[in-house]
Amino acid sequence: MSGATGAEKLYSAIEESARMVDAPFSRDKVWPTLSAFEGGFSDAGGVILSLQAGTHVPEMEYSAQVSPGISDPYARALASGILTETDHPVSTVLAEIVSLAPTSEHYIDCGIVGGFKKIYANFPHDQQTVAALAGLPSMPRAVGGNAEFFARHGLDRVALIGVDYVNKTINLYFQVSAATAGNLDQKTVSAMLHETGMSEPSDAMVAYACQAYRIYTTLSWDAEEILRIAFAPKPRRGIDPADLPARLEPRIEKFLRATPHKYPGALINATAAKWSPEREVLDLAAHYQVSAVQMKAIEAEEGRAS
């Protein structure tokens, strides 16, 4: 599949999903980013569409793998004009991360309203420690400043990092240990939320968070504290909305069941229980494409569950 065809097909899937949930959609907001990364999309790369549970959908995001077709997605974003160069350390931190943990696996994260936002560097087989990341010159001081919190809760294996160029924040995705993945202690989850000053959690959301295999945090160059924390269970096929800790609007249920996808079998969904100091939210995602590595992991999990 050529890059141009890939971009057009991805555009159609994004538009169809946005219309499904009555999210605001404009080609002028979506196409510039897809066009900028033309040549970077392929059938072998993962693509995820996501939104938050609620009574309406003001934004829908999409994350798409753009490698190995594009080795430097930050340079591509600058060259295409969807991102403006800055002297803020957000402009250099990705290059430092990739120098520390070489990877050719990048994802971009965009909104149908907000446009281009993030670049992710994925290195699941070369996970990095908080100490190593905190030592990078452009890394927010909040990473090292929260090292004691991370260590106390066993969060020291970072497998994925997202750099948000719009909000000037960074996401650290921690791999939960095999011994506790999917079975976290509710008191531990509640303690993590309390220690980081997050909003008062509901019992249902805490119980759901205990299913996490990854925990990710949002940090900033302008704050010492952790801004957000999220708990993500493993992706799986055909999530039953009744099993979720939030009541979903019918059109959002449809998104979880009927979003277009390019692989056999039922739709693969992903979720995350997320907190900020202001509120708790449930993130919902549908996989449009799944990489061979992702599919192998999902099928292995299905085999263990059967």
Side-chain angles (χ1 to χ4, degrees), residues 41-284:
F41 306 116
S42 78
D43 285 329
V47 178
I48 302 172
L49 309 175
S50 61
L51 48 77
Q52 292 184 343
T55 56
H56 68 291
V57 182
E59 176 70 293
M60 190 179 80
E61 297 184 338
Y62 56 98
S63 301
Q65 188 173 347
V66 294
S67 54
I70 297 173
S71 61
D72 189 344
Y74 178 68
R76 175 67 70 94
L78 289 176
S80 66
I82 61 173
L83 192 62
T84 303
E85 196 158 8
T86 175
D87 59 2
H88 189 280
V90 72
S91 67
T92 52
V93 70
L94 180 64
E96 293 174 4
I97 292 167
V98 174
S99 178
L100 175 68
T103 182
S104 62
E105 191 169 324
H106 294 96
Y107 289 77
I108 58 170
D109 190 70
C110 320
I112 64 171
V113 175
F116 178 82
K117 297 179 181 180
K118 299 181 187 179
I119 297 174
Y120 292 95
N122 190 33
F123 36 89
H125 306 299
D126 188 18
Q127 295 174 15
Q128 297 298 304
T129 65
V130 169
L133 294 170
L136 297 176
S138 298
M139 189 63 63
R141 288 182 297 176
V143 174
N146 287 283
E148 189 274 335
F149 169 83
F150 294 138
R152 184 154 35 84
H153 292 289
L155 304 180
D156 197 46
R157 299 165 61 228
V158 180
L160 175 70
I161 296 181
V163 180
D164 188 326
Y165 295 95
V166 175
N167 296 303
K168 294 183 172 58
T169 58
I170 195 162
N171 304 119
L172 301 183
Y173 287 73
F174 295 93
Q175 196 72 32
V176 177
S177 70
T180 57
N183 191 31
L184 301 179
D185 181 72
Q186 291 194 29
K187 290 183 178 179
T188 299
V189 172
S190 296
M192 293 172 72
L193 298 174
H194 176 74
E195 290 169 33
T196 52
M198 299 300 150
S199 61
E200 187 65 26
S202 65
D203 292 342
M205 282 281 275
V206 170
Y208 194 75
C210 289
Q211 300 178 34
Y213 87 111
R214 274 188 177 173
I215 298 173
Y216 58 98
T217 59
T218 304
L219 303 107
S220 168
W221 282 266
D222 299 324
E224 296 296 326
E225 67 272 14
I226 294 171
L227 303 181
R228 288 181 293 278
I229 187 166
F231 299 77
K234 288 184 177 180
R236 63 185 189 272
R237 293 183 192 270
I239 286 179
D240 185 346
D243 294 335
L244 298 174
R247 183 177 179 180
L248 305 184
E249 293 291 316
R251 62 184 180 277
I252 297 180
E253 282 198 27
K254 185 178 180 182
F255 170 82
L256 284 180
R257 298 179 188 274
T259 296
H261 57 285
K262 296 177 61 180
Y263 46 84
L267 183 63
I268 296 170
N269 301 119
T271 60
K274 182 186 293 184
W275 282 267
S276 68
E278 295 76 30
R279 61 181 185 141
E280 65 177 16
V281 295
L282 181 65
D283 282 359
L284 305 168

Side-chain angles (χ1 to χ4, degrees), residues 276-299:
S276 68
E278 295 76 30
R279 61 181 185 141
E280 65 177 16
V281 295
L282 181 65
D283 282 359
L284 305 168
H287 286 255
Y288 170 65
Q289 283 185 187
V290 181
S291 70
V293 172
Q294 290 173 317
M295 183 61 79
K296 184 176 181 180
I298 290 168
E299 289 176 344

